[in-house]
């Protein structure tokens, strides 16, 4: 803004240049125009409601009772199981798998290899073997959600797994069953979220962070790379848990010290008790 007067041509001044660039680029480079209709190699089930403006690509398999709204792209090689509903203008780019009864909102983008609604990881120990727990819920994805390549979102065990409006997920993310991710939260690659975790709105999660199951994360939290969230968080904040790389000899020495940390803590507590006792004796 300070240089406007010296600019010899018309200019755009923005408080957020990157966001302005994103909007301009969207206008100048819109998504490819759809080829409305179903490719001859696509297999379409019974009682489907596919809007005439939608495109179903080559070698797609569409189950029964599927609803595909206006302007939807189902890219080549995708599999849409029975009872799926896909909202207007959403795009499943290629080889996307959407399992039974999943709901996808409007203007959402699913990149190649995404799997939505596979069974959650539910098994009960029974006399030394694992009995499968039927996964009876589904997945509900909101509007304007972006899901990166090869990300997987499991269906719920009883209730649904829910991805709220505006969530952005990078590649190779794992979302477990019955997870809920709040509006406009963004996650980088290889994040893992265990079952029944609830993550708030507008959170930012860096690459390879991990969440144990059955915890709640407040709105507006920032989780740094490789942090392990093993407890609930009730207030916004920045949370870290990564030991950064170091010269190997130093790293090995520090790693060895970490293994001795519990002993040091016990000795320190004993020393504190002794000092406190001596201070009391002195002050008598």
């Amino acid at each position: 803004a300070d240089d406007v007067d010296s600019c010899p041509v018309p200019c755009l001044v923005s408080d957020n240049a990157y966001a302005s660039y994103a909007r301009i680029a969207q206008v100048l480079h819109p998504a490819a125009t759809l080829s409305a209709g179903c490719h001859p190699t696509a297999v379409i089930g019974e009682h489907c409601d596919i809007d005439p403006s939608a495109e179903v690509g080559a070698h797609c398999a569409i189950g029964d009772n599927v609803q595909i709204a206006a302007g939807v792209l189902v890219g080549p090689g995708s599999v849409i199981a029975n009872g799926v509903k896909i909202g207007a203008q959403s795009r499943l780019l290629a080889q996307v798998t959407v399992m039974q009864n999943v709901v996808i909102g409007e203007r959402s983008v699913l990149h190649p290899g995404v799997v939505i609604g596979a069974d959650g990881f539910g098994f009960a120990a029974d006399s030394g073997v694992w009995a499968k727990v039927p996964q009876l819920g589904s997945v509900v994805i909101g509007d304007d959600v972006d899901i990166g390549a090869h990300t997987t979102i499991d269906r719920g065990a009883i209730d649904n797994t829910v991805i709220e409006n505006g969530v952005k997920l990078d590649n190779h993310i794992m979302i477990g069953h019955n997870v809920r991710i709040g509006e406009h939260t963004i996650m980088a690659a290889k994040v893992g979220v265990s079952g029944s975790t609830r993550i708030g709105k507008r959170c930012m999660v860096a690459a390879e962070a991990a969440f144990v199951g059955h915890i709640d994360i407040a709105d507006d939290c920032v989780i740094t790379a490789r942090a392990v969230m093993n407890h609930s968080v009730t207030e916004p904040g920045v949370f870290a848990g990564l030991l950064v790389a170091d010269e190997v000899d130093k790293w090995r020495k520090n790693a060895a010290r970490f293994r001795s940390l519990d002993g040091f803590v016990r000795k320190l507590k004993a020393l504190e008790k002794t000092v406190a006792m001596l201070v009391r004796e002195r002050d008598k």
Side-chain angles (χ1 to χ4, degrees), residues 167-249:
V167 169
K168 310 300 181 187
L169 303 178
D170 198 359
N171 305 332
H172 294 281
I173 288 174
M174 172 64 211
I175 306 296
H177 57 183
N178 297 108
V179 167
R180 188 178 193 100
I181 299 179
E183 293 182 353
H184 305 295
T185 283
I186 188 166
M187 293 183 175
K190 298 183 180 179
V191 169
V193 184
S194 298
S196 300
T197 290
R198 299 172 65 92
I199 297 175
K201 301 175 182 179
R202 300 176 302 277
C203 292
M204 300 175 64
V205 183
E208 296 188 0
F211 298 78
V212 303
H214 302 272
I215 63 172
D216 295 337
I217 304 299
D219 298 343
D220 301 302
C221 286
V222 177
I223 315 297
T224 65
R226 294 188 179 178
V228 177
M229 301 301 293
N230 62 2
H231 61 278
S232 292
V233 172
T234 59
E235 298 291 337
V238 179
F239 301 89
L242 172 66
L243 291 176
V244 297
D246 201 347
E247 192 276 327
V248 65
D249 287 341

Side-chain angles (χ1 to χ4, degrees), residues 34-53:
L34 300 184
S35 299
C38 298
H39 192 276
T41 60
V43 178
I44 310 297
E46 297 181 350
H47 310 299
C48 291
D49 182 6
I50 302 176
D51 190 276
S53 66

Side-chain angles (χ1 to χ4, degrees), residues 19-79:
S20 297
Y21 165 76
R23 296 184 182 279
I24 293 167
Q26 290 172 17
V27 173
L28 297 179
H29 300 276
T33 303
L34 300 184
S35 299
C38 298
H39 192 276
T41 60
V43 178
I44 310 297
E46 297 181 350
H47 310 299
C48 291
D49 182 6
I50 302 176
D51 190 276
S53 66
E55 176 183 343
V56 178
H59 304 290
C60 288
I62 308 295
D64 299 336
N65 303 302
V66 170
Q67 298 179 30
I68 298 177
V72 168
L73 168 66
V74 181
S78 295
V79 176

